[in-house]
Amino acid sequence: MATTYFTSDHEWLSVEGGIATVGITDYAQEQLGDLVFVELPETGKKLAKGDTAVVVESVKAASDVYAPVDGEITEANGTLSSDPSLVNSAATGAGWLWKMKLADESQLASLMDEAAYKAHIA
């Protein structure tokens, strides 16, 4: 069963079997407004926690989405190239951004659970 984590930068991770699916939260997509472009990472790219992984562009601004943990990109959500609005309509579902193989699962301990994240944005 997948475990979901959140960051103070408004990203979510769903982790199962050492692979994290990463996206931005509903709160983040609401702040950004309608997305018009998503620059996806290359498969095989290694990221350190805090590295820019994805750039999302909305009608308001361009914003970086950071790697929440160390790891290697295993897949990018190619559907977003033709339909970036999926991030707005399904931020925590079909609008995921990338999947990564975790380099150090102990880094997950520094992330928030859903209750802590809700308190963070309140």
Side-chain angles (χ1 to χ4, degrees):
M1 170 137 175
T3 305
T4 304
Y5 301 89
F6 296 86
T7 73
S8 57
D9 293 322
H10 312 293
E11 295 132 5
W12 60 266
L13 300 75
S14 178
V15 179
E16 190 166 16
I19 301 290
T21 302
V22 184
I24 62 172
T25 63
D26 266 330
Y27 176 84
Q29 68 83 15
E30 286 168 11
Q31 299 304 306
L32 286 166
D34 293 338
L35 292 189
V36 293
F37 180 74
V38 178
E39 182 182 315
L40 295 167
E42 290 180 31
T43 300
K45 181 177 182 179
K46 286 183 169 41
L47 296 170
K49 181 178 180 173
D51 287 353
T52 298
V54 169
V55 177
V56 292
E57 293 181 23
S58 71
V59 292
K60 293 181 187 176
S63 220
D64 292 341
V65 181
Y66 305 105
V69 290
D70 298 350
E72 181 179 331
I73 303 288
T74 58
E75 187 180 348
N77 188 350
T79 306
L80 301 179
S81 296
S82 59
D83 189 7
S85 68
L86 253 182
V87 177
N88 295 114
S89 61
T92 58
W96 60 273
L97 299 172
W98 77 88
K99 294 184 182 190
M100 67 193 300
K101 183 177 182 187
L102 301 177
D104 180 1
E105 291 199 37
S106 71
Q107 289 181 320
L108 298 171
S110 67
L111 303 176
M112 293 180 269
D113 63 13
E114 189 170 11
Y117 179 73
K118 284 183 176 175
H120 173 72
I121 60 174

Short mmCIF file of all heavy atoms in Angstrom, two decimals, residues 8-79:
data_model
loop_
_atom_site.label_atom_id
_atom_site.label_comp_id
_atom_site.label_asym_id
_atom_site.label_seq_id
_atom_site.Cartn_x
_atom_site.Cartn_y
_atom_site.Cartn_z
N SER A 8 6.85 21.24 2.46
CA SER A 8 6.46 22.63 2.71
C SER A 8 6.42 23.44 1.41
O SER A 8 5.87 24.53 1.37
CB SER A 8 7.41 23.28 3.72
OG SER A 8 8.73 23.20 3.25
N ASP A 9 6.98 22.88 0.33
CA ASP A 9 6.93 23.51 -1.00
C ASP A 9 5.70 23.08 -1.79
O ASP A 9 5.61 23.32 -3.00
CB ASP A 9 8.19 23.18 -1.81
CG ASP A 9 9.45 23.81 -1.22
OD1 ASP A 9 9.38 24.95 -0.73
OD2 ASP A 9 10.49 23.14 -1.24
N HIS A 10 4.75 22.41 -1.13
CA HIS A 10 3.46 22.03 -1.72
C HIS A 10 3.56 20.94 -2.79
O HIS A 10 2.88 20.97 -3.80
CB HIS A 10 2.71 23.27 -2.25
CG HIS A 10 2.68 24.39 -1.26
ND1 HIS A 10 1.97 24.30 -0.08
CD2 HIS A 10 3.31 25.57 -1.23
CE1 HIS A 10 2.16 25.41 0.63
NE2 HIS A 10 2.97 26.19 -0.04
N GLU A 11 4.44 19.97 -2.52
CA GLU A 11 4.51 18.79 -3.35
C GLU A 11 3.99 17.61 -2.54
O GLU A 11 4.05 17.63 -1.33
CB GLU A 11 5.96 18.48 -3.77
CG GLU A 11 6.57 19.53 -4.66
CD GLU A 11 7.95 19.96 -4.20
OE1 GLU A 11 8.49 19.38 -3.23
OE2 GLU A 11 8.46 20.90 -4.80
N TRP A 12 3.46 16.62 -3.24
CA TRP A 12 3.07 15.37 -2.60
C TRP A 12 3.88 14.24 -3.22
O TRP A 12 4.31 14.34 -4.36
CB TRP A 12 1.56 15.10 -2.73
CG TRP A 12 1.07 14.99 -4.14
CD1 TRP A 12 0.54 16.01 -4.90
CD2 TRP A 12 1.06 13.84 -4.99
NE1 TRP A 12 0.22 15.54 -6.15
CE2 TRP A 12 0.53 14.21 -6.23
CE3 TRP A 12 1.46 12.51 -4.80
CZ2 TRP A 12 0.37 13.32 -7.29
CZ3 TRP A 12 1.31 11.62 -5.86
CH2 TRP A 12 0.77 12.03 -7.09
N LEU A 13 4.10 13.20 -2.44
CA LEU A 13 4.76 11.99 -2.91
C LEU A 13 3.92 10.82 -2.45
O LEU A 13 3.53 10.76 -1.30
CB LEU A 13 6.11 11.77 -2.25
CG LEU A 13 7.27 12.69 -2.32
CD1 LEU A 13 7.08 13.88 -1.46
CD2 LEU A 13 8.49 11.92 -1.90
N SER A 14 3.68 9.91 -3.36
CA SER A 14 3.05 8.65 -3.01
C SER A 14 4.11 7.58 -3.21
O SER A 14 4.60 7.38 -4.32
CB SER A 14 1.84 8.40 -3.91
OG SER A 14 1.26 7.16 -3.59
N VAL A 15 4.51 6.93 -2.09
CA VAL A 15 5.65 6.02 -2.14
C VAL A 15 5.18 4.58 -1.98
O VAL A 15 4.44 4.24 -1.07
CB VAL A 15 6.66 6.36 -1.02
CG1 VAL A 15 7.83 5.39 -1.03
CG2 VAL A 15 7.14 7.80 -1.16
N GLU A 16 5.66 3.75 -2.91
CA GLU A 16 5.36 2.32 -2.85
C GLU A 16 6.52 1.56 -3.48
O GLU A 16 6.92 1.88 -4.60
CB GLU A 16 4.06 2.02 -3.59
CG GLU A 16 3.55 0.62 -3.38
CD GLU A 16 2.11 0.41 -3.83
OE1 GLU A 16 1.58 1.26 -4.58
OE2 GLU A 16 1.53 -0.60 -3.43
N GLY A 17 7.07 0.62 -2.74
CA GLY A 17 8.14 -0.22 -3.27
C GLY A 17 9.38 0.55 -3.70
O GLY A 17 10.02 0.20 -4.69
N GLY A 18 9.73 1.60 -2.97
CA GLY A 18 10.94 2.34 -3.28
C GLY A 18 10.80 3.33 -4.43
O GLY A 18 11.76 3.98 -4.84
N ILE A 19 9.58 3.44 -4.99
CA ILE A 19 9.31 4.39 -6.08
C ILE A 19 8.33 5.45 -5.57
O ILE A 19 7.30 5.12 -4.98
CB ILE A 19 8.69 3.70 -7.31
CG1 ILE A 19 9.63 2.60 -7.86
CG2 ILE A 19 8.34 4.72 -8.40
CD1 ILE A 19 10.90 3.10 -8.52
N ALA A 20 8.68 6.71 -5.81
CA ALA A 20 7.80 7.81 -5.41
C ALA A 20 7.18 8.43 -6.66
O ALA A 20 7.88 8.76 -7.62
CB ALA A 20 8.58 8.88 -4.66
N THR A 21 5.85 8.58 -6.64
CA THR A 21 5.15 9.36 -7.66
C THR A 21 5.00 10.75 -7.05
O THR A 21 4.56 10.88 -5.91
CB THR A 21 3.76 8.75 -7.95
OG1 THR A 21 3.94 7.41 -8.40
CG2 THR A 21 3.03 9.55 -9.02
N VAL A 22 5.40 11.79 -7.80
CA VAL A 22 5.46 13.14 -7.26
C VAL A 22 4.57 14.08 -8.07
O VAL A 22 4.50 14.00 -9.29
CB VAL A 22 6.91 13.67 -7.28
CG1 VAL A 22 7.01 15.04 -6.62
CG2 VAL A 22 7.87 12.68 -6.62
N GLY A 23 3.91 14.98 -7.35
CA GLY A 23 3.11 16.02 -8.01
C GLY A 23 2.98 17.22 -7.09
O GLY A 23 3.59 17.26 -6.02
N ILE A 24 2.21 18.19 -7.54
CA ILE A 24 1.94 19.35 -6.68
C ILE A 24 0.56 19.18 -6.05
O ILE A 24 -0.29 18.50 -6.60
CB ILE A 24 2.07 20.69 -7.43
CG1 ILE A 24 1.05 20.81 -8.56
CG2 ILE A 24 3.49 20.88 -7.94
CD1 ILE A 24 1.01 22.21 -9.21
N THR A 25 0.37 19.81 -4.92
CA THR A 25 -0.89 19.67 -4.19
C THR A 25 -1.99 20.52 -4.83
O THR A 25 -1.72 21.41 -5.64
CB THR A 25 -0.71 20.11 -2.73
OG1 THR A 25 -0.36 21.49 -2.71
CG2 THR A 25 0.36 19.28 -2.02
N ASP A 26 -3.22 20.25 -4.44
CA ASP A 26 -4.35 21.06 -4.88
C ASP A 26 -4.14 22.52 -4.49
O ASP A 26 -4.43 23.43 -5.27
CB ASP A 26 -5.67 20.56 -4.26
CG ASP A 26 -6.38 19.58 -5.17
OD1 ASP A 26 -6.24 19.69 -6.39
OD2 ASP A 26 -7.09 18.71 -4.65
N TYR A 27 -3.61 22.74 -3.29
CA TYR A 27 -3.34 24.11 -2.83
C TYR A 27 -2.39 24.81 -3.80
O TYR A 27 -2.61 25.96 -4.19
CB TYR A 27 -2.74 24.07 -1.42
CG TYR A 27 -2.35 25.43 -0.89
CD1 TYR A 27 -3.29 26.26 -0.29
CD2 TYR A 27 -1.05 25.91 -1.02
CE1 TYR A 27 -2.95 27.52 0.20
CE2 TYR A 27 -0.69 27.16 -0.54
CZ TYR A 27 -1.65 27.96 0.06
OH TYR A 27 -1.31 29.20 0.52
N ALA A 28 -1.33 24.12 -4.21
CA ALA A 28 -0.34 24.71 -5.13
C ALA A 28 -0.96 25.05 -6.48
O ALA A 28 -0.75 26.14 -7.01
CB ALA A 28 0.84 23.76 -5.31
N GLN A 29 -1.75 24.12 -7.03
CA GLN A 29 -2.33 24.40 -8.35
C GLN A 29 -3.34 25.53 -8.28
O GLN A 29 -3.47 26.31 -9.21
CB GLN A 29 -2.89 23.13 -9.02
CG GLN A 29 -4.12 22.50 -8.40
CD GLN A 29 -5.43 23.14 -8.82
OE1 GLN A 29 -5.51 23.89 -9.80
NE2 GLN A 29 -6.48 22.87 -8.06
N GLU A 30 -4.04 25.67 -7.14
CA GLU A 30 -4.97 26.80 -6.97
C GLU A 30 -4.22 28.12 -6.94
O GLU A 30 -4.66 29.11 -7.51
CB GLU A 30 -5.78 26.64 -5.67
CG GLU A 30 -6.85 25.57 -5.75
CD GLU A 30 -7.43 25.24 -4.38
OE1 GLU A 30 -7.16 25.96 -3.39
OE2 GLU A 30 -8.15 24.23 -4.30
N GLN A 31 -3.04 28.14 -6.28
CA GLN A 31 -2.23 29.36 -6.20
C GLN A 31 -1.67 29.73 -7.57
O GLN A 31 -1.57 30.91 -7.91
CB GLN A 31 -1.08 29.19 -5.20
CG GLN A 31 -1.50 28.91 -3.78
CD GLN A 31 -2.43 29.96 -3.21
OE1 GLN A 31 -2.13 31.15 -3.22
NE2 GLN A 31 -3.59 29.54 -2.74
N LEU A 32 -1.31 28.73 -8.36
CA LEU A 32 -0.72 28.98 -9.68
C LEU A 32 -1.73 29.44 -10.71
O LEU A 32 -1.42 30.24 -11.58
CB LEU A 32 -0.05 27.70 -10.20
CG LEU A 32 1.26 27.31 -9.56
CD1 LEU A 32 1.62 25.88 -9.92
CD2 LEU A 32 2.36 28.26 -9.99
N GLY A 33 -2.95 28.93 -10.62
CA GLY A 33 -3.94 29.21 -11.66
C GLY A 33 -3.80 28.21 -12.80
O GLY A 33 -3.11 27.19 -12.67
N ASP A 34 -4.44 28.49 -13.91
CA ASP A 34 -4.49 27.54 -15.03
C ASP A 34 -3.11 27.31 -15.64
O ASP A 34 -2.47 28.24 -16.11
CB ASP A 34 -5.44 28.03 -16.12
CG ASP A 34 -6.89 28.05 -15.66
OD1 ASP A 34 -7.21 27.32 -14.70
OD2 ASP A 34 -7.69 28.79 -16.26
N LEU A 35 -2.67 26.04 -15.63
CA LEU A 35 -1.38 25.71 -16.20
C LEU A 35 -1.47 25.65 -17.72
O LEU A 35 -2.44 25.13 -18.28
CB LEU A 35 -0.87 24.37 -15.67
CG LEU A 35 -0.49 24.33 -14.19
CD1 LEU A 35 0.21 23.03 -13.85
CD2 LEU A 35 0.40 25.49 -13.80
N VAL A 36 -0.44 26.21 -18.37
CA VAL A 36 -0.41 26.23 -19.83
C VAL A 36 0.77 25.43 -20.39
O VAL A 36 0.80 25.12 -21.58
CB VAL A 36 -0.37 27.68 -20.38
CG1 VAL A 36 -1.68 28.40 -20.07
CG2 VAL A 36 0.80 28.46 -19.83
N PHE A 37 1.75 25.10 -19.52
CA PHE A 37 2.92 24.36 -19.98
C PHE A 37 3.59 23.67 -18.79
O PHE A 37 3.66 24.25 -17.70
CB PHE A 37 3.92 25.31 -20.65
CG PHE A 37 5.16 24.62 -21.16
CD1 PHE A 37 5.13 23.82 -22.30
CD2 PHE A 37 6.36 24.76 -20.49
CE1 PHE A 37 6.27 23.18 -22.76
CE2 PHE A 37 7.52 24.12 -20.95
CZ PHE A 37 7.47 23.34 -22.09
N VAL A 38 4.06 22.45 -19.01
CA VAL A 38 4.84 21.72 -18.00
C VAL A 38 6.12 21.22 -18.66
O VAL A 38 6.06 20.51 -19.66
CB VAL A 38 4.05 20.52 -17.42
CG1 VAL A 38 4.90 19.76 -16.42
CG2 VAL A 38 2.76 20.98 -16.76
N GLU A 39 7.27 21.65 -18.13
CA GLU A 39 8.56 21.18 -18.63
C GLU A 39 8.95 19.97 -17.79
O GLU A 39 9.27 20.10 -16.61
CB GLU A 39 9.61 22.29 -18.49
CG GLU A 39 10.97 21.90 -19.03
CD GLU A 39 11.99 23.02 -18.82
OE1 GLU A 39 11.67 24.19 -19.09
OE2 GLU A 39 13.10 22.70 -18.37
N LEU A 40 8.90 18.79 -18.39
CA LEU A 40 9.11 17.53 -17.67
C LEU A 40 10.58 17.14 -17.63
O LEU A 40 11.35 17.50 -18.52
CB LEU A 40 8.30 16.43 -18.35
CG LEU A 40 6.78 16.61 -18.28
CD1 LEU A 40 6.08 15.66 -19.23
CD2 LEU A 40 6.28 16.41 -16.85
N PRO A 41 10.98 16.38 -16.61
CA PRO A 41 12.37 15.94 -16.51
C PRO A 41 12.66 14.75 -17.42
O PRO A 41 11.74 14.05 -17.85
CB PRO A 41 12.48 15.52 -15.04
CG PRO A 41 11.11 15.02 -14.71
CD PRO A 41 10.17 15.90 -15.50
N GLU A 42 13.93 14.54 -17.70
CA GLU A 42 14.34 13.40 -18.52
C GLU A 42 14.44 12.15 -17.65
O GLU A 42 14.95 12.21 -16.54
CB GLU A 42 15.72 13.65 -19.15
CG GLU A 42 15.73 14.71 -20.22
CD GLU A 42 17.12 14.91 -20.79
OE1 GLU A 42 17.92 13.94 -20.84
OE2 GLU A 42 17.42 16.05 -21.19
N THR A 43 13.99 11.02 -18.20
CA THR A 43 14.14 9.73 -17.52
C THR A 43 15.63 9.46 -17.33
O THR A 43 16.42 9.72 -18.24
CB THR A 43 13.47 8.62 -18.36
OG1 THR A 43 12.09 8.94 -18.50
CG2 THR A 43 13.60 7.27 -17.70
N GLY A 44 16.00 8.98 -16.16
CA GLY A 44 17.39 8.67 -15.86
C GLY A 44 18.13 9.81 -15.17
O GLY A 44 19.23 9.61 -14.65
N LYS A 45 17.52 11.00 -15.14
CA LYS A 45 18.17 12.15 -14.49
C LYS A 45 18.22 11.91 -12.98
O LYS A 45 17.23 11.53 -12.38
CB LYS A 45 17.39 13.42 -14.81
CG LYS A 45 18.00 14.67 -14.20
CD LYS A 45 17.23 15.92 -14.60
CE LYS A 45 17.88 17.16 -14.02
NZ LYS A 45 17.17 18.38 -14.42
N LYS A 46 19.40 12.14 -12.40
CA LYS A 46 19.54 12.00 -10.94
C LYS A 46 19.31 13.37 -10.31
O LYS A 46 19.83 14.38 -10.78
CB LYS A 46 20.93 11.47 -10.60
CG LYS A 46 21.09 10.00 -10.92
CD LYS A 46 22.45 9.48 -10.50
CE LYS A 46 22.60 7.99 -10.53
NZ LYS A 46 22.04 7.29 -11.64
N LEU A 47 18.53 13.38 -9.25
CA LEU A 47 18.20 14.61 -8.55
C LEU A 47 18.58 14.51 -7.08
O LEU A 47 18.42 13.44 -6.48
CB LEU A 47 16.69 14.90 -8.63
CG LEU A 47 16.10 15.17 -10.01
CD1 LEU A 47 14.58 15.18 -9.94
CD2 LEU A 47 16.60 16.49 -10.55
N ALA A 48 19.04 15.60 -6.53
CA ALA A 48 19.25 15.70 -5.08
C ALA A 48 18.08 16.49 -4.51
O ALA A 48 17.49 17.32 -5.21
CB ALA A 48 20.56 16.40 -4.78
N LYS A 49 17.75 16.22 -3.27
CA LYS A 49 16.67 16.94 -2.60
C LYS A 49 16.89 18.44 -2.78
O LYS A 49 17.98 18.95 -2.56
CB LYS A 49 16.66 16.57 -1.11
CG LYS A 49 15.57 17.24 -0.33
CD LYS A 49 15.59 16.79 1.12
CE LYS A 49 14.48 17.48 1.88
NZ LYS A 49 14.34 16.95 3.24
N GLY A 50 15.85 19.14 -3.25
CA GLY A 50 15.93 20.58 -3.44
C GLY A 50 16.27 21.00 -4.86
O GLY A 50 16.13 22.17 -5.21
N ASP A 51 16.73 20.05 -5.70
CA ASP A 51 16.99 20.38 -7.10
C ASP A 51 15.69 20.67 -7.83
O ASP A 51 14.66 20.07 -7.54
CB ASP A 51 17.66 19.20 -7.83
CG ASP A 51 19.12 18.98 -7.46
OD1 ASP A 51 19.69 19.82 -6.72
OD2 ASP A 51 19.67 17.96 -7.91
N THR A 52 15.74 21.57 -8.82
CA THR A 52 14.58 21.81 -9.66
C THR A 52 14.36 20.58 -10.53
O THR A 52 15.27 20.15 -11.24
CB THR A 52 14.77 23.05 -10.54
OG1 THR A 52 14.92 24.19 -9.69
CG2 THR A 52 13.57 23.26 -11.47
N ALA A 53 13.17 20.00 -10.47
CA ALA A 53 12.85 18.81 -11.25
C ALA A 53 11.98 19.16 -12.45
O ALA A 53 12.15 18.62 -13.54
CB ALA A 53 12.15 17.79 -10.37
N VAL A 54 11.03 20.05 -12.23
CA VAL A 54 10.02 20.39 -13.23
C VAL A 54 9.77 21.89 -13.17
O VAL A 54 9.86 22.49 -12.09
CB VAL A 54 8.70 19.63 -12.94
CG1 VAL A 54 7.55 20.14 -13.77
CG2 VAL A 54 8.87 18.14 -13.16
N VAL A 55 9.46 22.48 -14.32
CA VAL A 55 9.00 23.86 -14.35
C VAL A 55 7.56 23.84 -14.85
O VAL A 55 7.26 23.23 -15.87
CB VAL A 55 9.87 24.75 -15.26
CG1 VAL A 55 9.32 26.17 -15.31
CG2 VAL A 55 11.32 24.75 -14.79
N VAL A 56 6.66 24.47 -14.08
CA VAL A 56 5.27 24.59 -14.51
C VAL A 56 4.99 26.06 -14.81
O VAL A 56 5.45 26.94 -14.09
CB VAL A 56 4.27 24.06 -13.45
CG1 VAL A 56 4.40 22.55 -13.30
CG2 VAL A 56 4.47 24.71 -12.09
N GLU A 57 4.31 26.29 -15.92
CA GLU A 57 3.97 27.66 -16.29
C GLU A 57 2.45 27.79 -16.30
O GLU A 57 1.75 26.98 -16.89
CB GLU A 57 4.53 28.01 -17.67
CG GLU A 57 6.04 28.08 -17.68
CD GLU A 57 6.60 28.46 -19.05
OE1 GLU A 57 5.88 29.07 -19.86
OE2 GLU A 57 7.77 28.12 -19.30
N SER A 58 1.99 28.85 -15.64
CA SER A 58 0.56 29.13 -15.61
C SER A 58 0.32 30.47 -16.28
O SER A 58 1.26 31.14 -16.71
CB SER A 58 0.06 29.17 -14.16
OG SER A 58 0.55 30.34 -13.51
N VAL A 59 -0.95 30.87 -16.34
CA VAL A 59 -1.27 32.17 -16.90
C VAL A 59 -0.70 33.28 -16.02
O VAL A 59 -0.49 34.39 -16.49
CB VAL A 59 -2.80 32.34 -17.08
CG1 VAL A 59 -3.31 31.40 -18.16
CG2 VAL A 59 -3.55 32.06 -15.79
N LYS A 60 -0.38 32.97 -14.76
CA LYS A 60 0.16 33.96 -13.82
C LYS A 60 1.68 34.02 -13.80
O LYS A 60 2.26 35.11 -13.74
CB LYS A 60 -0.31 33.65 -12.39
CG LYS A 60 -1.78 33.80 -12.13
CD LYS A 60 -2.05 33.49 -10.66
CE LYS A 60 -3.52 33.45 -10.33
NZ LYS A 60 -3.74 33.06 -8.93
N ALA A 61 2.35 32.85 -13.78
CA ALA A 61 3.79 32.82 -13.56
C ALA A 61 4.37 31.45 -13.89
O ALA A 61 3.65 30.49 -14.05
CB ALA A 61 4.08 33.13 -12.09
N ALA A 62 5.70 31.40 -13.96
CA ALA A 62 6.42 30.13 -14.05
C ALA A 62 6.92 29.78 -12.66
O ALA A 62 7.30 30.67 -11.90
CB ALA A 62 7.58 30.24 -15.02
N SER A 63 6.90 28.52 -12.33
CA SER A 63 7.27 28.09 -10.99
C SER A 63 8.08 26.81 -11.07
O SER A 63 7.78 25.92 -11.86
CB SER A 63 5.98 27.83 -10.21
OG SER A 63 6.08 28.28 -8.91
N ASP A 64 9.12 26.71 -10.23
CA ASP A 64 9.90 25.48 -10.16
C ASP A 64 9.22 24.51 -9.20
O ASP A 64 8.63 24.91 -8.20
CB ASP A 64 11.30 25.76 -9.62
CG ASP A 64 12.15 26.57 -10.60
OD1 ASP A 64 11.82 26.61 -11.80
OD2 ASP A 64 13.15 27.17 -10.16
N VAL A 65 9.31 23.23 -9.53
CA VAL A 65 8.89 22.17 -8.62
C VAL A 65 10.15 21.40 -8.27
O VAL A 65 10.90 20.97 -9.15
CB VAL A 65 7.84 21.24 -9.28
CG1 VAL A 65 7.40 20.16 -8.30
CG2 VAL A 65 6.64 22.05 -9.77
N TYR A 66 10.41 21.26 -6.98
CA TYR A 66 11.68 20.72 -6.50
C TYR A 66 11.59 19.24 -6.16
O TYR A 66 10.53 18.75 -5.77
CB TYR A 66 12.13 21.49 -5.25
CG TYR A 66 12.21 22.98 -5.50
CD1 TYR A 66 11.24 23.83 -4.99
CD2 TYR A 66 13.24 23.52 -6.26
CE1 TYR A 66 11.29 25.20 -5.23
CE2 TYR A 66 13.30 24.89 -6.50
CZ TYR A 66 12.33 25.72 -5.99
OH TYR A 66 12.38 27.07 -6.23
N ALA A 67 12.73 18.57 -6.28
CA ALA A 67 12.81 17.18 -5.85
C ALA A 67 12.66 17.13 -4.33
O ALA A 67 13.43 17.77 -3.62
CB ALA A 67 14.14 16.57 -6.26
N PRO A 68 11.68 16.40 -3.83
CA PRO A 68 11.46 16.35 -2.38
C PRO A 68 12.47 15.46 -1.65
O PRO A 68 12.64 15.58 -0.45
CB PRO A 68 10.04 15.79 -2.26
CG PRO A 68 9.80 15.07 -3.53
CD PRO A 68 10.65 15.71 -4.59
N VAL A 69 13.11 14.57 -2.40
CA VAL A 69 14.11 13.65 -1.85
C VAL A 69 15.13 13.35 -2.96
O VAL A 69 14.91 13.69 -4.11
CB VAL A 69 13.47 12.31 -1.38
CG1 VAL A 69 12.62 12.51 -0.13
CG2 VAL A 69 12.65 11.67 -2.49
N ASP A 70 16.23 12.70 -2.59
CA ASP A 70 17.22 12.27 -3.58
C ASP A 70 16.66 11.09 -4.36
O ASP A 70 15.98 10.23 -3.79
CB ASP A 70 18.52 11.80 -2.90
CG ASP A 70 19.21 12.89 -2.10
OD1 ASP A 70 18.83 14.07 -2.20
OD2 ASP A 70 20.15 12.54 -1.34
N GLY A 71 17.00 11.02 -5.64
CA GLY A 71 16.59 9.86 -6.42
C GLY A 71 16.83 10.04 -7.90
O GLY A 71 17.46 11.00 -8.34
N GLU A 72 16.34 9.07 -8.68
CA GLU A 72 16.52 9.06 -10.12
C GLU A 72 15.16 8.99 -10.79
O GLU A 72 14.31 8.17 -10.42
CB GLU A 72 17.36 7.84 -10.52
CG GLU A 72 17.64 7.76 -12.00
CD GLU A 72 18.49 6.54 -12.37
OE1 GLU A 72 19.30 6.09 -11.54
OE2 GLU A 72 18.33 6.05 -13.50
N ILE A 73 14.96 9.84 -11.79
CA ILE A 73 13.70 9.87 -12.53
C ILE A 73 13.53 8.55 -13.28
O ILE A 73 14.41 8.14 -14.04
CB ILE A 73 13.67 11.03 -13.56
CG1 ILE A 73 13.91 12.38 -12.88
CG2 ILE A 73 12.38 11.02 -14.36
CD1 ILE A 73 12.79 12.90 -12.04
N THR A 74 12.40 7.89 -13.06
CA THR A 74 12.12 6.65 -13.77
C THR A 74 11.04 6.85 -14.83
O THR A 74 10.93 6.07 -15.77
CB THR A 74 11.65 5.53 -12.81
OG1 THR A 74 10.49 5.98 -12.11
CG2 THR A 74 12.76 5.18 -11.81
N GLU A 75 10.25 7.92 -14.69
CA GLU A 75 9.16 8.17 -15.64
C GLU A 75 8.68 9.60 -15.46
O GLU A 75 8.67 10.13 -14.36
CB GLU A 75 8.00 7.21 -15.35
CG GLU A 75 6.88 7.23 -16.35
CD GLU A 75 5.75 6.24 -16.00
OE1 GLU A 75 5.94 5.38 -15.11
OE2 GLU A 75 4.69 6.36 -16.62
N ALA A 76 8.31 10.22 -16.58
CA ALA A 76 7.66 11.53 -16.54
C ALA A 76 6.27 11.37 -17.13
O ALA A 76 6.05 10.50 -17.98
CB ALA A 76 8.46 12.56 -17.33
N ASN A 77 5.33 12.16 -16.67
CA ASN A 77 3.95 12.05 -17.12
C ASN A 77 3.79 12.78 -18.46
O ASN A 77 3.43 13.95 -18.52
CB ASN A 77 3.01 12.64 -16.07
CG ASN A 77 1.55 12.38 -16.39
OD1 ASN A 77 1.21 11.92 -17.48
ND2 ASN A 77 0.68 12.69 -15.45
N GLY A 78 4.09 12.06 -19.54
CA GLY A 78 4.07 12.63 -20.88
C GLY A 78 2.73 13.20 -21.30
O GLY A 78 2.66 14.08 -22.18
N THR A 79 1.64 12.74 -20.71
CA THR A 79 0.31 13.27 -21.02
C THR A 79 0.25 14.77 -20.79
O THR A 79 -0.48 15.49 -21.48
CB THR A 79 -0.75 12.56 -20.16
OG1 THR A 79 -0.62 11.15 -20.34
CG2 THR A 79 -2.16 12.98 -20.55
#
